[in-house]
Structures are given as C-alpha cells and as structure tokens.
Amino acid sequence: MPRWIAHLVVVAVFAGLIAVAFARVNYAWNWAGVWEYRQKFVQGWLTTVAISLAALVVSTLIGSLAALCLASRRPLVEAIGRVYVELIRGTPLLVQLLLGFYVVASAVGLENRYVVGVLVLSLFSGAYMAEIFRGGLAAIPRTQRDSARAIGLTPWQTLRLVILPQALRLVLPPVAGQLVSLIKDSSLLSVIAISEFTLNAQEVNAFTYSTLESYLPLAAGYLVLTLPLSALARWLESRVRFEA
Amino acid sequence: MLLDARDLVQRFDGTTVLDGLSLATGDVQALVLIGPSGGGKTTLLRILAGLDVPAAGGVSFDGVPLPRDEAALRDYRRSVGTVFQAYNLFPHLSALDNLLLPLVHVHGLSPAAARDRVREPLERFQLAAHAHKRPAELSGGQKQRIAILRALVVRPRRLFLDEPTSALDPEMRGEVLAMIRELKETGVEFVLVTHEMAFARRIADEVAFVGDGRVLAAGPAAEIFDHCQSPRVRDFLSRTLI
Ligand SMILES: Nc1ncnc2c1ncn2[C@@H]1O[C@H](COP(=O)(O)OP(=O)(O)OP(=O)(O)O)[C@@H](O)[C@H]1O
Ligand SMILES: [Mg+2]
C-alpha cells in the first residue's frame, strides 16, 4: 500500500472516531456566530506567522552565539553557554514569559509587548537551537580541521569554507523541527496579551460561547503551518542521509 | 632537502611519544619513514609538516628552522603539502572544487587562473573525468590521488605523505603508488611514511626507521634494507619484506 493511502486511511479512521464522539455528546454547533469574527482569526494567524518568523531569525542568532560558547575551550565562556541552555530548557516558557515581561522588561523600561514577546520566545528557542548547532559542529570529524590547517586556511576560513557548509546541512532538518515547536510555543504569548492566533481564538470564544467552533479553526490554523514544515524536515533528513 | 631534526620530544597526556628523536639527512629528494605501529612516525611527520609543535627540540629544512608560533607556521604550511591516510577531501565540494579551494582562498589565484592551473595535472593523472564528482562518488584510490594533487597544484616546496595507501584496497594501492613514483621522476621532494616496504626500498633516497619515539637507524635505502646492523630493524624488515 502506498504511503499516502496509508496516511489517508489513518486520517479517515481518526476523523470518524472524532465524529462519533461529537455525535454522542449532541454538540449544538454554532458556526454562524464564529464566522462573524473570521477577521480576528486571520489577523491572529498572520500575527503568529510574523512572530514565529521574527523569533526564528533572532533565535538562530542567539543559538549560534550560544553554540560557539558551548564549543569554546575557555571554561568561563563554556559555562555561560551551558548555564543559559540548561536554565532555559529546564524551566517552563510560561514562567520565562511572565518574568521577562513583568520583571525584566519593566525594569529596563521596554514597553512594546510584541518586542518583549519575540525576545523571550527567541531566548527560549535559542537554547534548543544552541544544542542543535553544537551537535552539528561536533559531527564534523577532526580530520576536516586537520585538512583545512594542512592547506593553510585560517581558523576563520576553516569555519566559513569547511565547517559551516557541512554543519549547515546537518542542522537544517532539526531546525525545521524546531520551527514547528516555535510556532506552537508562540501560543503562550497570549498570557502577556499579545494578539496572536490563540489569544484571538480565546476572545472569539468569550464573545460567542462557542468553544469548539473557536478552537477547531485554531488547531487547523496551526496544522496548516506545522504539517508542511514537518514534511520539509523529513525530506531534508532523508537528503542528508543519502549524501553521507 | 636537508632535514635536521634535533632532540624532538612530544608528549600526549603525559605519555612520551617522541623521546629525544634526532635525524639528519643528506641532500635527499625522497625520505621514507618506516617502523612499527605506534612508533611515532605520524607524530614526527606532523611536526615536520608544521601541524604540531614539539614540546622540545627543533627542526630545520635546508638550514631554515621551523617557526613555533601559529601565524608563521601557517605560512610554512602554505609552502608545503600534506596528505593524510584518509579523509583528506572536503566532502561537500567536488573533486575540482577541492583542488581550487587552496589555490583561490590561500594562494590568491583568480578562479579562472586556478582552473587553468589544475587542468593539465588532472589530465596527466587521468582524473579529469572525475573532476565534477563529490568525494563520496570517488573510489578510495581516486580520492587519495585528488588529495595528492590538491597538495601538489599549489607548487609546494615539498610534500608530506602519511601512509597514503594504507586505507586502500590492494587493487587501488597501485595507482597511488604509481602517482608517487611519477612525482619522484619529475623531481618533487617528499617525506613519505609507509608500510609498503618494497615500494619504500625502490623510491627512497634515504630511509629512517622510527621506533619507540626515536630514530633507531637511518641512511641510504640500500644500506638500511640490506646491511642494517640494528637487530630491531633487521627483525622488523624480515617480518615485513616477505
Ligand atoms: N593526539 C594524540 N593523543 C594521544 N596519543 C597520541 C596522539 N597521537 C599519537 N598518540 C600516541 O602516540 C604513539 C605514536 O603514535 P604515531 O601515530 O606517531 O605512531 P605511528 O608510528 O604513526 O603508528 P602507525 O604506523 O600505526 O600509524 C601511539 O602510541 C599513539 O597512541
Ligand atoms: Mg601513523
């Protein structure tokens, strides 16, 4: 059986089960009420896309810096990278957001909640990126640095011409996976009142008292973003495997 | 080249790998290092190639001492060529781009001039047809020959070759050894580490036997292979020259 048919069968069975569940609870649908607020969904979805893209760029920068720290031979620099990564990965994003917004941002007078939101989300995602990048750098065998030194490349040329082009290939699949997490994690920005997709769905729910009609489109809106990205990640991964 | 290595000491994590090694050659074109596994040949070659700095002692070629600071050593490495046992090539670049990289980024040639420079050598060694392949698509022998070519096209003063054939299947060794023989005929200077004793004997001007972190015997090839007094060396040769 071809793979796409298998996928289709699984999705159909799953949808059937959910339909049965809905039928049994006799849910009274009210799509009309929610339809009035369609603009809010669109606007929230676009905000989520924008925030995720911004956070992807910033967290790539932070993650690269932190990865260089992690790979450093200087104990102090390595420690800075390690403490950052472990603190961020060991605590909930919710706590980081609340601390970042109500304490740190207030203390330094940063008022734009969108900027704060993107920064905190980037710091969070950057810790995971750092580990991905560190792994990518570590996966390049020592012999490559030796060969680069032997032909007389400088350390910077070695990084630019030899290490990074190889490491980039290795990290692209996990970075695509990280972007999937980033998009879903951005839903937590609703707690600091950023008008992204999830917060808007919550508001529509509050206006219409139609919980499922508000949240099912929410799920669909995220899937539209995450499913292609997951597929991209898997495709990139298969490519890396073939080239090895 | 006139090599003079004096009282070289090298340690890794407390174990002494080169233990006061000294070696002075005559004015030779091809110096071959032989000896038992773990004896210190690679360690010595890496120092000669400017990749590592000895803990003590010094090396000079033709009377010019090797520097010890990294920037000067890099300049030295740019003036010579080194080929390791395996994994010399950059896997993300085609064979051709592997050849062009040092020419363009280290020696300042324009890409066009670099292409001109490598065209003839690629053809001479029957590698032109493989120039656009990635290393993963090349045979082991082709990879090593491209690696030797990459070291060669920058017109180095000499080559350092560390067991260039020992990671290869027997069928592929011949083509690499033939290439080294051709280099010898065209006057390229080199220091070669090898376990191919028959080849060593044929190609070497002088041979140094490295064992226990020292040079246990050194001299013209015929002398070492046929008349060596050292029982260690005779025993080694009798076991490897079958
Ligand atoms: N970077 C290193 N760190 C620790 N030990 C090392 C290192 N390089 C070499 N050694 C040790 O030094 C000794 C000599 O190694 P070397 O590679 O110079 O020997 P060799 O004569 O080239 O042997 P072979 O014929 O197997 O290549 C070995 O015992 C090896 O384990
Ligand atoms: Mg060796």
Side-chain angles (χ1 to χ4, degrees), chain B residues 28-235:
Chain B
V28 294
Q29 185 196 341
L31 170 67
V32 175
L33 307 177
I34 61 171
S37 191
K41 301 182 296 297
T42 295
T43 308
L44 171 60
L45 195 80
R46 288 181 63 91
I47 292 171
L48 300 183
L51 288 162
D52 290 333
V53 175
V59 175
S60 70
F61 280 100
D62 302 317
V64 182
L66 291 198
R68 293 183 70 90
D69 70 294
E70 178 59 21
L73 268 177
R74 192 183 310 132
D75 283 339
Y76 170 71
R77 290 196 297 269
R78 290 171 172 176
S79 73
V80 298
T82 302
V83 177
F84 306 104
Q85 223 175 69
Y87 308 116
N88 288 283
L89 301 182
F90 302 125
H92 61 296
L93 299 178
S94 69
L96 179 64
D97 286 333
N98 265 280
L99 297 180
L100 299 181
L101 186 130
L103 288 172
V104 171
H105 291 277
V106 178
H107 297 272
L109 271 71
S110 72
R115 267 165 211 279
D116 279 349
R117 173 86 68 94
V118 302
R119 189 168 300 125
E120 188 273 330
L122 274 172
E123 261 154 34
R124 175 147 52 100
F125 294 103
Q126 287 92 50
L127 288 164
H130 308 292
H132 292 282
K133 294 181 183 168
R134 295 273 178 95
E137 304 165 296
L138 297 172
S139 76
Q142 289 163 349
K143 273 188 273 209
Q144 282 303 71
R145 287 189 294 139
I146 290 285
I148 294 173
L149 217 52
R150 186 177 68 187
L152 207 60
V153 289
V154 304
R155 300 184 180 149
R157 264 183 279 169
R158 69 190 68 87
L159 293 182
F160 298 97
L161 309 165
D162 190 2
E163 300 194 36
T165 58
S166 58
L168 300 180
D169 294 336
E171 321 87 81
M172 295 175 186
R173 287 187 188 158
E175 58 185 74
V176 175
L177 295 180
M179 181 172 183
I180 297 171
R181 212 176 304 132
E182 189 170 338
L183 297 186
K184 173 94 197 265
E185 279 157 21
T186 52
V188 177
E189 287 187 353
F190 57 87
V191 180
L192 166 73
V193 176
T194 187
H195 286 285
E196 310 259 356
M197 287 307 144
F199 182 72
R201 177 187 200 140
R202 201 149 17 111
I203 201 144
D205 298 320
E206 286 194 25
V207 174
F209 183 96
V210 179
D212 305 331
R214 292 157 183 269
V215 172
L216 299 179
E223 219 168 88
I224 299 295
F225 281 104
D226 300 328
H227 309 290
C228 191
Q229 300 302 310
S230 158
R232 255 313 277 291
V233 177
R234 289 170 72 132
D235 181 51

Side-chain angles (χ1 to χ4, degrees), chain A residues 17-82:
Chain A
L17 286 174
I18 289 178
V20 169
F22 276 120
R24 288 181 70 123
V25 295
N26 272 325
Y27 191 79
W29 295 101
N30 172 25
W31 288 108
V34 171
W35 180 248
E36 303 269 300
Y37 292 98
R38 60 191 177 279
Q39 262 320 105
K40 273 193 96 60
F41 283 106
V42 172
Q43 180 259 317
W45 187 85
L46 288 174
T47 306
T48 286
V49 169
I51 285 177
S52 302
L53 282 179
L56 175 69
V57 172
V58 180
S59 66
T60 302
L61 291 176
I62 295 176
S64 312
L65 267 179
L68 289 180
C69 289
L70 288 175
S72 170
R73 261 167 287 173
R74 283 171 225 193
L76 184 66
V77 178
E78 201 261 355
I80 291 172
R82 190 41 68 197

